[in-house]
Amino acid sequence: MSSTQEYALRELNREKTFGGMGTTKARNVPRIDLSNFQTRKAEIADQLWAASTDTGFFQLVNHGIPQRMIDEAFEMTARFFDLPMEVKARLPMAKGTNYGWEYKAQVRPSTGTADNKESYQITVPRMAGLWPSGEELPGFKATMLAFERANWALGMKVLSLFAMKLGFPPDFFTEAHDPTSPEYQSTLRLIHYMAMEGAKPEDFEGWRAGAHTDYCCLTLLHQRTGQGGLQLCPGKEAGGGELAWTDVEPLPGVITCNIGDMLMRWSDDQLQSTLHRVRMPRADEYLGPRYSLPFFCQANRDAVIRPPSGREAPITAKDFLDGRIAANFAKLRK
Ligand SMILES: O=C(O)CCC(=O)C(=O)O
Ligand SMILES: [Fe+2]
């Protein structure tokens, strides 16, 4: 078995145990202020480290991405998903890839059912033929490229502090996520969870996004106030039995972040990649569409993940990611 297949299988078996409804529990998701970043690096690094070795989730405030830019990205996202099906179908995500449009194709190993969503993923060097035309959606490409780069820059700022804590040079992860390289594979994802107004009772039994951990180093997640549903369960408490889930409410001016599997491995499991999911709204909650914009900092395909202790074998970020994509999108056409 190749290391990719072996990794995919291990992940599959682990995630299959997380699909149940579980209970709920209040937990603190730390809020971390990035203002005066240059002079407060040591303090911010301590706060990031404490949050990420504990719940694996934190929320950034004063992060520097202008609210206007975030609002514009959400407006373009709604317009994109409003395009006719046949237009979106001309931009398909091919099997084994991480870019393009998919409709209800992501089957989470935890649930075995498709997420009730459509998504469009932007992996900048591999978008040939996958952008809507300027006539179909004026301004879309420019807006999304600028938003992608703003997220990348913020992600690298945060990762530079993790590098410091792990004893790597400060620009270690920036080099591993070099956006000028053709091997770049960080991804901006646009997600549309379908409105549930008038849906049948059985439609509420599924998941908007089934329980999973992210594949990446770090996720920056933009959400809309009033469009809740994200829940987390820390890994330390996910060791079997019924899981207790915590609601993470979207707040204005906040970017919710979590550590992914890639950084967990790179840090010898010190930084926690935490299980999360998006639940269906209850009948008495907002039932309109839900949009979210995660940006996944994923090390370039040729970056080698070599944990300092040497306990886990080195693996390229390509092999690491391919295993996870294969386990999630088996349904897509080649
Ligand atoms: O939509 C959300 O709030 C979370 C999405 C998510 O977890 C993912 O796409 O990995
Ligand atoms: Fe996720």
Side-chain angles (χ1 to χ4, degrees), residues 273-291:
S273 174
T274 293
L275 209 55
H276 54 284
R277 66 187 186 184
V278 183
R279 67 166 175 80
M280 283 289 179
R282 285 183 292 267
D284 62 341
E285 291 179 312
Y286 164 75
L287 294 176
R290 179 181 190 276
Y291 297 95

Side-chain angles (χ1 to χ4, degrees), residues 57 106 108 115 117 119 121 189 191 193 208-210 212-215 219 221-223 227-231 248 258 276-278 290-294 296:
F57 262 79
Q106 185 164 17
R108 303 282 183 178
D115 287 353
K117 70 165 197 281
S119 74
Q121 304 205 150
R189 186 181 217 190
I191 311 180
Y193 301 92
R208 278 184 150 167
H212 65 280
T213 54
D214 291 344
Y215 328 147
T219 304
L221 175 68
H222 301 269
Q223 303 186 85
Q227 300 180 10
L230 179 69
Q231 298 185 308
V248 187
N258 62 281
H276 54 284
R277 66 187 186 184
V278 183
R290 179 181 190 276
Y291 297 95
S292 73
L293 298 171
F296 303 108

Side-chain angles (χ1 to χ4, degrees), residues 52-112:
S52 305
T53 50
D54 185 30
T55 40
F57 262 79
F58 50 89
Q59 293 185 312
L60 298 178
V61 294
N62 298 319
H63 45 72
I65 301 185
Q67 190 58 43
R68 181 185 35 79
M69 192 177 205
I70 298 170
D71 292 343
E72 210 175 283
F74 271 110
E75 279 156 31
M76 275 293 181
T77 296
R79 261 184 255 159
F80 175 85
F81 289 116
D82 280 345
L83 288 170
M85 280 297 205
E86 63 267 23
V87 173
K88 293 183 282 187
R90 289 200 290 268
L91 317 168
M93 182 189 288
K95 194 166 180 167
T97 73
N98 209 17
Y99 28 92
W101 174 75
E102 62 79 24
Y103 184 83
K104 295 191 187 182
Q106 185 164 17
V107 178
R108 303 282 183 178
S110 65
T111 59

